[in-house]
Amino acid sequence: MPPRTYHHPDAEEIAIPRVLFALSEPLRLNMVRKLAAQGETDSIDLGPDLPRSTLTHHTSLLRESGVVFVRAEGRKCMIKLRDEDLEARFPGLLGTVLTGYESADVDGEEAGA
Amino acid sequence: MPPRTYHHPDAEEIAIPRVLFALSEPLRLNMVRKLAAQGETDSIDLGPDLPRSTLTHHTSLLRESGVVFVRAEGRKCMIKLRDEDLEARFPGLLGTVLTGYESADVDGEEAGA
DNA sequence: ATCATAGTTCGACAATTCTCGCACGATCAA
DNA sequence: TTGATCGTGCGAGAATTGTCGAACTATGAT
């Protein structure tokens, strides 16, 4: 049985509306924030308190929108940001969003990430 | 009878998730694109083919998320981007999104804006 | 082989969001 | 005043999205 594989859009296929939508969800934005701070991360660390199926849902959405790259590692699931692809396609976007997010009213949340 | 008035969030109240959500809709992103190119614009120019109630819906959403400023002028409705507020709060965001949008597969659409 | 763990898929339900017709009030022109 | 135009609010229905339990597969350890 082949290990789990995941489909990822090519860099050129990444579309701004989908990326913005993916980042517009607080839960997912928090996941992206962690990924930016920690680099490649075990999926479960992105939402330890979430039901697994919910976590898969959001991870898949981030993957299909081109925001993250997902890779199976044993039983686990490693996630990393597609920094370079996003930077090539939408220069500055990710940094701007994360910077703006930091300066806002975040950090008080534990319920999602 | 007082002329129509509109509520706008203060600059500090503008939240990134809401802004990203507002911009994640192709219709609205197109409206914002026009506003960036033309400056203050008659609302009807933002969606000449849309039913009025649909146009009001999207305009209100952009306004409530802090992306645009709306002002009544006679019977009409003038819309402009809140460039400065957005720049102050999320430096570079708007420019990055619009630049990335331009470089993508847009322009072929007439059905929304 | 057995068991526990991790992730996926499916299905159902709740919550949002989108679209748009319609009635209404406001504005301007004649 | 009459009539045309514009925006708004309401309401309903469609479509999308979010949440999560349950069953299933794969992996790793005992």
Side-chain angles (χ1 to χ4, degrees), chain A residues 4 6 42-44 52-53 56 75-77:
Chain A
R4 286 165 295 163
Y6 300 92
D42 186 340
S43 75
I44 209 174
R52 295 295 154 76
S53 51
T56 298
R75 280 178 296 192
K76 299 189 174 179
C77 196

Side-chain angles (χ1 to χ4, degrees), chain B residues 90-102:
Chain B
F90 314 115
L93 177 61
L94 197 55
T96 301
V97 169
L98 292 175
T99 301
Y101 191 47
E102 297 294 337

Side-chain angles (χ1 to χ4, degrees), chain B residues 38-59:
Chain B
Q38 304 174 6
E40 194 174 40
T41 300
D42 186 340
S43 74
I44 209 174
D45 287 344
L46 295 181
D49 303 329
L50 293 177
R52 295 294 153 76
S53 50
T54 301
L55 187 55
T56 297
H57 170 71
H58 289 296
T59 302

Side-chain angles (χ1 to χ4, degrees), chain B residues 1 25 28 51 53-54 57-58 61 74-75:
Chain B
M1 181 59 68
E25 181 71 34
R28 292 190 293 261
S53 50
T54 301
H57 170 71
H58 289 296
L61 198 151
R75 279 178 296 191

